[in-house]
Amino acid sequence: MSIDEGAIDRREAFLHALVREAAELARAGFARQTGQAVSMKGPQDYLTETDGQVEDHLRARISEAFPEDGFLGEESGGEPGRQAWVVDPIDGTANFARAIPHFCVAIAFIARGEVQLGAIVNPVLDEVYFARLGRGAHRNGKPIRVSATSDITATSFEMGWSNRRPLARYIGALNALFEAGSNVRRGACGALGLAYVADGRSDGYAELHMNSWDCLAGLLLVREAGGVTGPFLSLGGLTDGAAVLAAAPGVAAILSEATGIPLLTGPDLLAVAEEEHRRTA
Ligand code: LIP
């Protein structure tokens, strides 16, 4: 049976508290991060003790409050199903491990085939980004909007990188963006990169492959702040990841063309929900 508005209200209230608890844990971990063990999950893929601590806390709190919901976390995995919480305990772990205060906790809630809630917190700046489907995007309770720019020569994009896609495609996209007249940055924290698009601090974010825990909350934030995104859930991104694009409407087409990532033309529904939608339409 499909979840009703009241059930989403309860999860929204819970998420407001949960993201603050996670921020507290992450902030405490960061304060003593020089003393904690850092290991590598693979090339350029960092893991700290704090990643595990925050994820364990999130998993325990969610399963206690909503035992019927699924869970998918970056560090411990899980079976999300169709109604689930998707969490990244620390996004920007490479920054965290080097004492750079540009990292965050990202939490999304999926139901009815799409992202319903998204929260991203930068624990060091105490900035909490929050969005609910159809109800706008906020930073620390204040509404936020994407930038109004359409002048490419004043545009600043962020292009995320990982070794999950060929380097030549990344360099090709960077080249096309610089040639078009944009500035391009890389902050090494994809979830915050997306939140900054929603907040108008950046004009667009693109990455050739992201995992769902890194981007679902941010994609909802950008759409709720008036921005444009590419498809993600409809491409199977929940479990396999997919390319990510999010931008201010005035420059989204340029980012799409440079990166080869298409723009979304309808809602971003889980592939299975999209199929049902087609059958019943
Ligand atoms: C990483 C992001 C990074 C992005 C990578 C990766 P992690 O996540 O922060 O910006 O480009 O795709 O997902 O490992 O720090 O959680």
Side-chain angles (χ1 to χ4, degrees):
M1 206 179 68
S2 193
I3 187 169
D4 62 23
E5 284 299 301
I8 298 178
D9 289 346
R10 287 193 290 283
R11 285 162 176 80
E12 181 182 355
F14 170 78
L15 180 54
H16 276 291
L18 186 68
V19 74
R20 292 245 169 236
E21 293 168 15
E24 199 47 58
L25 278 174
R27 196 167 27 241
F30 188 67
R32 59 176 164 73
Q33 60 87 32
T34 43
Q36 75 176 268
V38 175
S39 53
M40 301 300 289
K41 294 188 279 182
Q44 296 299 335
D45 198 0
Y46 288 76
L47 179 67
T48 71
E49 286 170 13
T50 305
D51 291 77
Q53 283 162 1
V54 175
E55 184 153 323
D56 288 350
H57 179 79
L58 294 173
R59 185 186 272 279
R61 288 278 283 120
I62 289 167
S63 75
E64 181 190 48
F66 301 107
E68 65 276 38
D69 293 353
F71 182 93
L72 176 65
E74 173 172 16
E75 309 308 340
S76 58
E79 287 292 327
R82 297 179 63 182
Q83 181 173 310
W85 299 82
V86 182
V87 315
D88 191 343
I90 303 288
D91 186 50
T93 308
N95 287 343
F96 182 103
R98 291 195 165 97
I100 299 168
H102 189 70
F103 63 90
C104 65
V105 181
I107 308 173
F109 175 67
I110 299 183
R112 299 174 177 164
E114 57 192 319
V115 187
Q116 300 288 338
L117 301 170
I120 294 175
V121 59
N122 177 332
V124 178
L125 295 182
D126 201 23
E127 290 185 329
V128 180
Y129 290 95
F130 203 98
R132 176 167 173 175
L133 183 64
R135 304 216 184 157
H138 299 83
R139 172 175 29 89
N140 291 349
K142 296 204 177 73
I144 51 173
R145 292 295 294 171
V146 295
S147 83
T149 189
S150 57
D151 174 6
I152 190 66
T153 65
T155 294
S156 190
F157 290 127
E158 183 169 350
M159 189 74 216
W161 171 84
S162 79
N163 51 24
R164 296 185 295 273
R165 289 292 179 270
L167 180 60
R169 283 192 56 203
Y170 179 74
I171 302 288
L174 275 185
N175 206 46
L177 290 171
F178 280 122
E179 284 199 336
S182 168
N183 178 24
V184 188
R185 297 175 296 119
R186 179 166 184 264
C189 177
L192 271 186
L194 290 165
Y196 280 16
V197 177
D199 205 1
R201 291 175 175 175
S202 164
D203 300 306
Y205 185 95
E207 184 162 344
L208 298 171
H209 180 272
M210 275 176 111
N211 289 304
S212 54
W213 46 80
D214 292 320
C215 69
L216 287 180
L219 287 170
L220 179 64
L221 273 159
V222 171
R223 290 191 288 264
E224 289 297 319
V228 175
T229 75
F232 186 83
L233 288 179
S234 55
L235 301 178
L238 178 60
T239 49
D240 298 339
V244 165
L245 181 146
V251 290
I254 297 169
L255 188 57
S256 171
E257 194 179 323
T259 57
I261 304 172
L263 299 177
L264 192 60
T265 50
D268 187 28
L269 293 171
L270 277 175
V272 52
E274 206 169 50
E275 178 56 32
E276 273 167 19
H277 183 71
R278 258 197 306 274
R279 264 193 283 117
T280 53

